[in-house]
Amino acid sequence: MSKSAVDIPPKGGFSFDLCRRNDMLAKKGVNPPTYRKTGTTIVGLVFQDGVILGADTRATAGPIVCDKNCEKIHYMAPNIYCCGAGTAADTEAVTDMVSSQLQLHRYHTGRESRVVTALTLLKKHLFNYQGHVQAALVLGGVDVTGPHLHTIYPHGSTDTLPYATMGSGSLAAMAVFESKYKEGLTRDEGVKLVTEAICSGIFNDLGSGSNVDVCVITKGHKEYLRNHQLPNPRTYVSSKGYSFSKKIEVLSTKITPLKEKVEVTEGGDAMEE
Amino acid sequence: MIFVELLCRYPYVTGTSVIGIKYKDGILMAADMGGSYGSTLRYKSVERMKPIGKHSLLGASGEISDFQELLRYLDELILYDNMWDDGNSLGPKEVHSYLTRVMYNRRNKFNPLWNSLVLGGVKKGQKYLGTVVSMIGVHFEDNHVATGFGNHLARPILRDEWHENLSFEDGVKLLEKCMLVLLYRDRSAINKLQIAKITEEGTTISPPYSLKTFWGFSAFKNPTLGAEGSW
């Protein structure tokens, strides 16, 4: 009778039932597996016509680099992008979730998304989880009210800034920004400054490395420059290249499509009100 | 019975970062004049750089009383060296080595001197800049060194912009650039600093002065313009 009521888990939030047992195990030397973090350098900058976001591309699991070229600049809306530092799963999940919420909101209102909308949705979610969702974000975009740049901390507090850095390499990148930022930068100056800040993080912080990703957002236009700079090329490359053994010969090729090709007609019926 | 807690102690009055660079004629060092008592900025005229003998300059961050103790050790060292009266004097390399041994020895006895040190000097045309990184006694030598927060905020700038044979003006400008970033971003930094120079001729420590800061970004004046709902 009442037993089934006890077995239903509480709605929402995290369950901390196993914490005591985990602590006991840790004392005995059995540690939980390390999770993938984006020990990172992420930066954002407001320039004359919009916002520039930058990020490095190294993802670490403890002392090991598990992804040499991951993407830390996440899509939120056509005019809003978000860089994420902290636990990789948390940044991916939270930005995906808010991105779909923004899409639904766009369908509902019929208007372009605003950066404050994304900001409020993200901070509500993060505060709700009291910092256990470890995502530190740099959110930037251009909407009808102008260019905006915000930082969001794992506990849910936000800052609105002309230039911002987050992640383990944030001090190295901030040193570059504090000494070189001016107001009214042009696009090229802004991209150069962002690249310098990310490179400072890449070369001076162990948690950041590999390449530089840049995203330039202006009114009505965005440029996602994936691997804008590759300052860590492979030092020794075999001149022979890769060749597969000649024993594998292709005798015949037959391609069977699994589904019928469907024709999509543009236009069609308008959505009902 | 020896209680480790009694011996290891905790720092009470601390100084923040010190930065040192090699330049054309010798070594340039910068440090602010703040002595923090926990989170209070209690003392604002602490000289954290002192000349040692004829050829060296020592800058320290960390516990101020331990720095003063170190100065007493070094005073004794230089005094005994002078008493030999043999025309030779201890150079920066020797003083650095002595400091490392003292720090490491104290650490082995669980009674550390809670400091990070920067030691620079010139002897017979040879420039030397070394650092004792922490109370444990790790030490190394480089063209540019920093302690505390300076490692995170100043060294990236120095790695990019330092080059061999900086002139005095360029060196001071570079140090001031780093000290400005530290002033903005280190909570225990104050806007009253000294720059010390050591060359073959001797040591000069400048009188205290402050840097010009800029807070006039239009984004700072009204950060939430057009972004209701954020702060």
Side-chain angles (χ1 to χ4, degrees):
Chain A
M1 293 179 294
S2 54
K3 243 196 174 179
S4 56
V6 174
D7 292 336
I8 298 170
K11 282 199 201 130
F14 288 142
S15 158
F16 291 98
D17 296 337
L18 289 174
C19 279
R20 190 175 283 159
R21 164 252 195 199
N22 288 342
D23 267 340
M24 188 270 296
L25 281 173
K27 280 203 187 74
K28 299 219 168 121
V30 180
N31 286 317
T34 54
Y35 39 78
R36 190 180 115 170
K37 295 197 105 195
T38 58
T40 292
T41 312
I42 46 174
V43 306
L45 180 78
V46 174
F47 72 111
Q48 247 173 26
D49 315 313
V51 170
I52 308 179
L53 299 173
D56 74 305
T57 60
R58 174 183 283 186
T60 52
I64 303 170
V65 176
C66 58
D67 191 344
K68 291 187 282 189
N69 209 356
C70 70
E71 284 190 21
K72 298 187 192 179
I73 306 185
H74 308 286
Y75 168 88
M76 296 284 255
N79 58 327
I80 308 174
Y81 273 76
C82 185
C83 306
T87 310
D90 286 336
T91 58
E92 275 288 342
V94 101
T95 46
D96 269 355
M97 184 193 79
V98 171
S99 173
S100 26
Q101 284 179 350
L102 285 176
Q103 174 79 305
L104 287 170
H105 194 246
R106 272 202 296 285
Y107 284 140
H108 192 75
T109 57
R111 294 186 169 93
E112 195 185 58
S113 297
R114 296 194 189 191
V115 183
V116 277
T117 320
L119 180 74
T120 315
L121 289 168
L122 283 165
K123 75 152 79 164
K124 252 186 75 167
H125 182 84
L126 290 174
F127 180 73
N128 216 1
Y129 282 84
Q130 288 290 296
H132 291 286
V133 174
Q134 281 169 13
L137 310 165
V138 171
L139 175 73
V142 181
D143 55 30
V144 283
T145 51
H148 297 288
L149 179 70
H150 303 282
T151 51
I152 310 164
Y153 289 84
H155 285 265
S157 64
T158 60
D159 281 314
T160 313
L161 296 164
Y163 54 95
T165 65
M166 295 284 261
S168 56
S170 61
L171 280 91
M174 187 50 88
V176 171
F177 272 170
E178 284 287 13
S179 43
K180 295 189 182 157
Y181 180 78
K182 301 189 310 277
E183 293 204 282
L185 290 164
T186 63
R187 182 199 176 274
D188 290 327
E189 286 174 342
V191 171
K192 185 162 167 292
L193 187 57
V194 162
T195 318
E196 263 184 54
I198 300 287
C199 280
S200 175
I202 287 176
F203 292 117
N204 292 304
D205 173 47
L206 295 175
S208 316
S210 304
N211 319 120
V212 182
D213 282 350
V214 174
C215 185
V216 185
I217 311 171
T218 51
K219 193 163 182 58
H221 179 66
K222 66 155 189 283
E223 267 180 85
Y224 183 53
L225 304 165
R226 167 78 172 147
N227 286 359
H228 173 70
Q229 217 184 65
L230 296 110
N232 290 306
R234 204 156 169 182
T235 334
Y236 305 107
V237 184
S238 161
S239 54
K240 286 189 287 185
Y242 298 110
S243 61
F244 297 101
S245 65
K246 290 197 184 65
K247 289 189 194 140
I248 304 165
E249 264 180 60
V250 178
L251 297 172
S252 73
T253 317
K254 180 180 172 211
I255 303 171
T256 318
L258 292 171
K259 280 197 232 172
E260 304 249 339
K261 264 189 144 179
V262 179
E263 287 287 313
V264 179
T265 47
E266 291 292 346
D269 295 333
M271 256 172 43
E272 302 217 349
E273 284 279 318
Chain B
M1 192 140 137
I2 300 170
F3 293 93
V4 171
E5 301 81 50
L6 270 179
L7 297 181
C8 254
R9 293 177 284 112
Y10 306 97
Y12 288 101
V13 181
T14 53
T16 181
S17 349
V18 178
I19 323 177
I21 57 172
K22 278 190 192 165
Y23 80 110
K24 193 164 54 118
D25 306 321
I27 311 287
L28 276 172
M29 218 185 275
D32 69 18
M33 301 191 75
S36 314
Y37 187 65
S39 53
T40 325
L41 251 174
R42 193 156 169 197
Y43 302 105
K44 297 194 194 170
S45 297
V46 181
E47 280 206 27
R48 297 194 290 115
M49 297 185 292
K50 293 281 184 194
I52 311 288
K54 276 201 288 208
H55 302 283
S56 324
L57 178 65
L58 174 69
S61 70
E63 173 63 59
I64 301 290
S65 64
D66 285 343
F67 174 53
Q68 291 167 342
E69 181 75 4
L70 267 171
L71 290 176
R72 282 188 59 225
Y73 281 151
L74 288 168
D75 212 27
E76 194 182 340
L77 179 78
I78 299 291
L79 182 70
Y80 279 124
D81 185 50
N82 286 340
M83 291 201 312
W84 284 107
D85 201 16
D86 56 1
N88 195 10
S89 48
L90 287 170
K93 231 179 252 202
E94 290 83 54
V95 178
H96 185 224
S97 179
Y98 176 77
L99 281 171
T100 316
R101 292 294 100 228
V102 167
M103 298 287 275
Y104 187 64
N105 237 287
R106 291 286 297 253
R107 166 260 191 190
N108 283 340
K109 293 187 207 153
F110 282 95
N111 188 9
L113 289 160
W114 209 289
N115 291 109
S116 300
L117 308 168
V118 172
L119 187 98
V122 195
K123 188 174 172 194
K124 296 207 174 83
Q126 290 272 43
K127 297 178 281 208
Y128 182 86
L129 181 64
T131 166
V132 181
V133 176
S134 65
M135 65 184 108
I136 296 177
V138 182
H139 69 287
F140 66 90
E141 196 212 318
D142 205 344
N143 293 321
H144 45 77
V145 293
T147 64
F149 252 101
N151 272 311
H152 297 107
L153 290 168
R155 288 204 81 194
I157 302 179
L158 293 171
R159 279 189 179 144
D160 261 347
E161 297 186 22
W162 182 90
H163 57 87
E164 201 74 55
N165 291 324
L166 279 166
S167 71
F168 176 68
E169 290 79 26
D170 284 340
V172 173
K173 256 210 291 211
L174 187 56
L175 279 179
E176 285 185 347
K177 194 175 194 182
C178 296
M179 292 304 281
L180 190 61
V181 178
L182 282 169
L183 179 62
Y184 283 140
R185 294 280 160 177
D186 180 4
R187 83 164 190 181
S188 27
I190 58 168
N191 197 2
K192 185 175 173 195
L193 67 141
Q194 289 179 303
I195 302 239
K197 165 179 88 144
I198 180 163
T199 60
E200 194 74 55
E201 282 85 52
T203 322
T204 335
I205 303 186
S206 75
Y209 68 103
S210 36
L211 297 167
K212 255 182 93 192
T213 56
F214 179 70
W215 297 92
F217 291 124
S218 61
F220 286 168
K221 289 199 191 105
N222 194 355
T224 59
L225 190 67
E228 290 84 35
S230 67
W231 61 78

